[in-house]
Amino acid sequence: MWDTIQRMAQFEFVAWLVKWILEQESFDFDWDHGNSTKSLQKHKISSENAEQAFVNRDLLVPLGIQVAPVTNEPRFGALGTDFSGRKISLCFTIREGRIRIISARPMSKIERKNYEQIR
């Protein structure tokens, strides 16, 4: 169990990310074969469902920027819902103003509870 806890990403809130997301009139996404199919295969969440969490405008960015484990580029965490109301946890980066979703999965029980309390 300790190995599992150590591998979990840790995030720190950043205000500029919330402001940036709220200021966007629309979002451009950066997909390739690897990141467009990974979440579908592992978690049954398509790239379209992941994008919907941003389009829905109910996206919460309580997770902020990933501080552990260390990565080569800034990674961010967010919680949101797709058009069907499915609650999704997202990990993404921003490249040249475009959102590149690294992973999308169903929210954990704790994430759902936190999401509902904030909403």
Side-chain angles (χ1 to χ4, degrees), residues 37-45 103-106:
T37 59
K38 179 175 63 172
S39 294
L40 181 62
Q41 292 171 348
K42 289 179 76 174
H43 305 292
K44 306 290 188 257
I45 296 180
S103 68
R105 60 169 175 74

Side-chain angles (χ1 to χ4, degrees), residues 6-114:
Q6 287 182 324
R7 286 182 289 186
M8 293 175 60
Q10 297 173 5
F11 296 88
E12 183 176 281
F13 179 79
V14 287
W16 71 261
L17 179 61
V18 174
K19 185 176 187 282
W20 183 83
I21 287 175
L22 292 174
E23 289 176 346
Q24 301 305 303
E25 290 183 23
S26 64
F27 297 98
D28 290 324
F29 294 89
D30 178 14
W31 296 103
D32 65 16
H33 179 70
N35 73 334
S36 68
T37 59
K38 179 175 63 172
S39 294
L40 181 62
Q41 292 171 348
K42 289 179 76 174
H43 305 292
K44 306 290 188 257
I45 296 180
S46 69
S47 55
E48 292 83 11
N49 293 118
E51 288 182 11
Q52 290 170 6
F54 287 88
V55 175
N56 255 353
R57 294 295 183 178
D58 68 346
L59 188 73
L60 296 177
V61 195
L63 302 179
I65 190 166
Q66 183 175 320
V67 294
V70 176
T71 59
N72 293 340
E73 65 184 337
R75 289 186 179 185
F76 308 98
L79 304 173
T81 61
D82 65 11
F83 291 164
S84 71
R86 181 170 39 173
K87 293 174 176 61
I88 301 172
S89 177
L90 301 144
C91 181
F92 63 98
T93 191
I94 301 170
R95 292 184 184 166
E96 299 176 4
R98 298 172 72 196
I99 295 171
R100 181 173 179 83
I101 296 174
I102 297 162
S103 68
R105 60 169 175 74
M107 284 185 207
S108 69
K109 187 175 181 177
I110 293 170
E111 288 169 332
R112 285 192 311 271
K113 181 180 174 185
N114 291 338

